[in-house]
Amino acid sequence: MTDIESHPRLISLEGGEGAGKTTVLNALRETLLQAGHEVVSTREPGGTPLAERIRQLLLSPDGEKPSPETELLLMFAARAQHVRETIRPALARGAWVVCDRFTDSSYAYQGGGRGLDVAFIAELERRVVGLQPGLTLLLDLGVSQGRARASGRDAQPDRIERERDDFFERVREAYLARAAAEPKRFRVIDASREAATVVADVTGVLREWMAAA
């Protein structure tokens, strides 16, 4: 597989820690359901039983720390399984898929954050994924504000969430660079605002997208 297909019914949510992706994903799902569509809401890493097991390996703060290269390859192993077993079958039967993170997260976290070769990530994307969202919503938020929000959660931070601020600054820069390079696919949403305002923005973008799809 060498070509990358852009699918209009695959929508991804991207952003750093504390950006509010869960709230936005739920709002997108409800908007699509109200329009009469079947919706599959999913996440990465994860989305299948095997990919969820890989997620545990990747994000657990316990045990051996994976090298950046190992982290990247495990992310793509989970993504390959996710695309084959969950995303493509859903798209084939006419469903919409809303995914909390997709391949852009590897460019941001393993490329920007870890400093891995972007050309290698692109090669993996072509060869083992071959699929790209038609629409990507980037919830953009300053690192300090995002970390403050994330620290208020009940859950313990996972291994990646425990990284230093400079790591997340590089992640944010990589996300914004990708959005600037692909303005037709990306919509950058200011996630520093109240949740209701952010939700109104993203559901408005979705309605416009559905009308044009």
Side-chain angles (χ1 to χ4, degrees):
M1 180 184 295
T2 57
D3 295 329
I4 299 178
E5 172 194 2
S6 176
H7 201 293
R9 282 186 278 105
L10 173 58
I11 300 171
S12 63
L13 294 179
E14 299 286 354
E17 310 310 310
K21 293 191 309 302
T22 301
T23 300
V24 169
L25 186 144
N26 290 336
L28 294 174
R29 182 175 183 275
E30 287 304 312
T31 300
L32 286 162
L33 287 172
Q34 290 171 10
H37 299 295
E38 179 191 354
V39 186
V40 173
S41 56
T42 187
R43 69 176 183 178
E44 288 207 344
T48 79
L50 177 57
E52 290 289 337
R53 290 168 65 187
I54 297 173
R55 179 188 180 90
Q56 293 175 2
L57 286 173
L58 279 164
L59 300 184
S60 173
D62 303 320
E64 182 181 0
K65 181 179 179 180
S67 72
E69 293 82 2
T70 301
E71 181 179 276
L72 176 68
L73 292 171
L74 284 172
M75 287 286 186
F76 270 96
R79 184 168 297 127
Q81 189 74 6
H82 188 204
V83 168
R84 181 183 180 115
E85 300 297 330
T86 300
I87 295 177
R88 284 197 179 277
L91 295 173
R93 65 176 183 264
W96 288 70
V97 178
V98 183
C99 192
D100 181 352
R101 301 198 187 282
F102 200 59
T103 310
D104 292 297
S105 65
S106 287
Y107 284 98
Y109 281 80
Q110 286 76 54
R114 304 286 187 216
L116 294 181
D117 182 4
V118 173
F120 181 49
I121 299 173
E123 186 70 8
L124 288 171
E125 181 181 21
R126 286 192 297 271
R127 291 187 175 275
V128 305
V129 179
L131 184 64
Q132 189 176 74
L135 175 65
T136 296
L137 298 165
L138 173 58
L139 303 180
D140 181 51
L141 182 66
V143 170
S144 59
Q145 185 178 357
R147 297 300 292 270
R149 286 182 181 177
S151 67
R153 299 171 182 163
D154 292 334
Q156 292 296 314
D158 63 36
R159 184 178 59 81
I160 293 178
E161 289 170 345
R162 297 184 184 200
E163 290 289 344
R164 296 164 59 95
D165 283 2
D166 59 342
F167 173 86
F168 292 108
E169 293 287 1
R170 294 193 299 274
V171 168
R172 185 187 184 196
E173 289 171 6
Y175 268 134
L176 290 172
R178 288 189 66 74
E182 297 186 58
K184 291 184 179 180
R185 176 165 68 91
F186 275 86
R187 303 291 187 276
V188 180
I189 307 295
D190 178 2
S192 68
R193 300 166 298 167
E194 293 291 330
T197 304
V198 174
V199 165
D201 270 8
V202 297
T203 53
V205 169
L206 175 59
R207 290 189 181 97
E208 291 178 3
W209 184 257
M210 284 192 291

